[in-house]
Amino acid sequence: MNRINQKLQEDKKILSIYFSAGYPNLKDTVQIIEELEKNGVDMIEIGLPFSDPLADGPTIQESSTQALHNGMTTQVLFDQLKDIRKTVTIPLIIMGYFNPMLQYGIDNFCKECAAIGIDGLIIPDLPVNVYADEYKATFEKYGLKNIFLITPQTSVERIHFIDSVSDGFIYMVSSASVTGSQTGFGSAQEDYFKRIADMNLKNPQVIGFGINNKETFEQATQFAKGAIIGSAFIQDLTKNGTGKIEEFVKAIR
């Protein structure tokens, strides 16, 4: 069974952390992953830096830009992660945009992910119908889960279609905004969380965008299986480097 599916079956709320590979420093990637697992994080999203990250707010954009300046590329990331499964057992997901994957070659990219032990991909700019028609068979051949995003504006029909072609979790964007722009959840967002929960989809939901502390983590996970923290963790890396990861995670739960 894929590690993502195994993790989602555990009787607990899932804490997933996102960071940009190669940030703050090019060679920090593996250390950050190992520290996050050691301190109780359940799942990690490794950001593959891209020059035009349309879903990302300023914090992630800046970290992605710095990572590119540091020398991060698709091949460098694969080289860094080649031995990651000797030390890390939790699910690892690569989150990135479709262009670098297309340039690498989709089959080659998925083959490398499988060889390393990557469990899934999040590709915000890959439409679900294009995935279903052209790439689903390749992802499944290499045992990779493709995670799709929904927002408060996603139609019921599209949500059901995403649910039908998914076999992992659904990434629930908390609001129609970029990452890092929220400071808490209002009644409209809670109504949205509840509305999706009441749809009884076959895939569990994990909420992202706007989770930045214990309060927002608990608020989100009232209605969903887990929550994702990205910008707040990157801000902590910017301020403290890799030295205070333990304190960051323990402040969440």
Side-chain angles (χ1 to χ4, degrees):
M1 183 187 287
N2 183 285
R3 294 179 194 89
I4 294 171
N5 300 110
Q6 287 179 319
K7 181 60 68 174
L8 292 167
Q9 287 181 3
E10 293 181 10
D11 186 22
K12 64 187 293 193
K13 296 298 186 179
I14 300 299
L15 172 59
S16 182
I17 296 284
Y18 168 94
F19 75 101
S20 299
Y23 182 84
N25 301 298
L26 181 63
K27 295 184 178 179
D28 287 340
T29 309
V30 170
Q31 182 191 351
I32 290 171
I33 293 169
E34 291 174 345
E35 285 287 316
L36 287 171
E37 179 178 48
K38 188 171 77 175
N39 288 291
V41 168
D42 299 297
M43 193 155 55
I44 298 172
E45 294 169 21
I46 305 161
L48 178 59
F50 181 53
S51 56
D52 189 22
L54 55 129
D56 298 324
T59 298
I60 293 177
Q61 281 191 25
E62 288 165 14
S63 68
S64 183
T65 299
Q66 183 59 53
L68 291 171
H69 287 160
N70 291 345
M72 180 53 67
T73 65
T74 303
Q75 190 59 56
V76 168
L77 178 60
F78 284 151
D79 291 343
Q80 288 184 350
L81 297 179
K82 68 181 189 301
D83 294 322
I84 196 69
R85 286 302 175 193
K86 292 180 180 177
T87 56
V88 172
T89 62
I90 61 174
L92 299 176
I93 297 169
I94 289 180
M95 183 170 184
Y97 294 90
F98 196 49
N99 188 279
M101 301 176 192
L102 206 55
Q103 288 182 345
Y104 199 85
I106 297 303
D107 193 85
N108 286 338
F109 189 91
C110 292
K111 185 178 181 180
E112 284 282 351
C113 286
I116 288 163
I118 298 298
D119 303 291
L121 299 171
I122 301 173
I123 312 169
D125 59 342
L126 175 60
V128 61
N129 55 313
V130 175
Y131 166 75
D133 291 343
E134 298 183 31
Y135 300 110
K136 188 171 188 282
T138 301
F139 278 51
E140 289 178 347
K141 178 172 76 169
Y142 292 109
L144 295 167
K145 306 298 181 183
N146 197 22
I147 311 301
F148 290 98
L149 284 68
I150 64 170
T151 75
Q153 284 69 43
T154 306
S155 69
V156 170
E157 180 185 29
R158 190 171 179 82
I159 291 169
H160 281 300
F161 181 56
I162 286 171
D163 193 42
S164 73
V165 300
S166 299
D167 179 31
F169 64 90
I170 292 174
Y171 188 134
M172 242 175 105
V173 177
S174 65
S175 64
S177 64
V178 295
T179 56
S181 60
Q182 300 296 307
T183 54
F185 300 124
S187 59
Q189 286 163 310
E190 290 200 351
D191 288 347
Y192 158 59
F193 298 161
K194 188 173 188 306
R195 172 170 65 85
I196 302 301
D198 289 345
M199 289 178 72
N200 294 315
L201 302 172
K202 73 180 176 75
N203 289 279
Q205 299 89 59
V206 180
I207 296 175
F209 291 47
I211 321 292
N212 50 33
N213 54 26
K214 185 180 179 69
E215 180 186 4
T216 46
F217 177 78
E218 291 179 348
Q219 203 175 359
T221 54
Q222 283 180 45
F223 304 95
K225 177 62 178 175
I228 301 156
I229 298 177
S231 296
F233 179 63
I234 290 172
Q235 287 165 359
D236 189 79
L237 289 175
T238 302
K239 182 180 178 182
N240 299 309
T242 58
K244 294 197 174 179
I245 291 174
E246 179 179 3
E247 288 93 325
F248 181 87
V249 176
K250 285 185 165 42
I252 303 300
R253 65 175 187 190

